[in-house]
Amino acid sequence: VRIVREDLSPEDVDEDDSGPGVTLPLRTAIDVIRHRRLDVRMAAATLSIAQRRHIERCTPLDPFQLRKWMTQEEVRDGVARSTIACLARAPRRGATHVRAALEFCDPRVESVLEALSWHDFLEAELPAPIPQAWVQGASGRWYCVDFLWRGARVIGEADGAVKYTAAQ
């Protein structure tokens, strides 16, 4: 546990009657990246998940509706602007680590493993896949896949052992 004391803008704090205020996901991620000097890969994953949590906090949508909503470029642009505004309110120390991660962020990724994979695709200069894309199987049933390279007809899945109940 690391306790950091800094002046915070009210915009970056979630205060309720149950106890002391806590920083909101974007500010928390920015501070973790700033203070821990995370490498770009881990910083991008941290910030992508924080951006997703920011959107989830702002919308009362179920997971299906949320996925659909996040396909809109203006939604992703909005959370990117919110991230930059939050970074501008934070102290400058370590801010370069946050800025370096911004180009690798996408709030559509749903897990840290997906966020790390997304970074690696971009870093390797592969064509950017569509995160959380819907595809129709031969049976006619629809599936949401982690990544889709539509033109290449390739699906990418980033699933860890936690998702499965049995080792096999």
Side-chain angles (χ1 to χ4, degrees):
V1 173
R2 183 173 184 184
I3 298 173
V4 176
R5 298 190 190 282
E6 293 179 340
D7 290 331
L8 295 168
S9 167
E11 296 172 81
D12 297 332
V13 179
D14 184 12
E15 294 191 51
D16 61 22
D17 297 333
S18 64
V22 296
T23 55
L24 293 170
L26 284 178
R27 180 58 191 260
T28 301
I30 287 169
D31 287 345
V32 167
I33 295 164
R34 286 176 46 248
H35 290 285
R36 300 299 302 166
R37 307 283 174 121
L38 298 181
D39 64 50
V40 172
R41 186 173 188 252
M42 288 305 295
T46 302
L47 206 49
S48 290
I49 299 304
Q51 287 181 335
R52 183 174 189 83
R53 296 298 172 262
H54 177 79
I55 292 171
E56 288 171 349
R57 286 187 85 256
C58 297
T59 61
L61 301 174
D62 66 50
F64 177 79
Q65 293 172 317
L66 186 65
R67 280 182 181 145
K68 187 175 179 182
W69 199 60
M70 279 202 269
T71 62
Q72 300 173 41
E73 193 170 337
E74 54 272 11
V75 170
R76 296 190 309 277
D77 288 347
V79 77
R81 283 191 302 276
S82 294
T83 304
I84 291 166
C86 186
L87 179 58
R89 292 188 298 271
R92 294 171 57 133
R93 182 179 162 259
T96 55
H97 292 273
V98 179
R99 279 194 286 282
L102 283 172
E103 70 181 277
F104 296 103
C105 292
D106 195 306
R108 292 176 290 180
V109 296
E110 294 184 343
S111 71
V112 172
L113 184 56
E114 287 179 28
L116 293 171
S117 299
W118 175 259
H119 168 272
D120 293 349
F121 299 146
L122 299 180
E123 182 73 19
E125 297 183 3
L126 293 172
I130 302 166
Q132 303 308 316
W134 288 92
V135 297
Q136 190 172 22
S139 67
R141 186 172 173 195
W142 286 89
Y143 300 89
C144 184
V145 298
D146 294 339
F147 302 103
L148 174 65
W149 288 267
R150 194 176 306 280
R153 299 175 50 100
V154 172
I155 291 172
E157 286 291 317
D159 297 323
V162 173
K163 182 175 180 177
Y164 302 100
T165 56
Q168 60 273 23

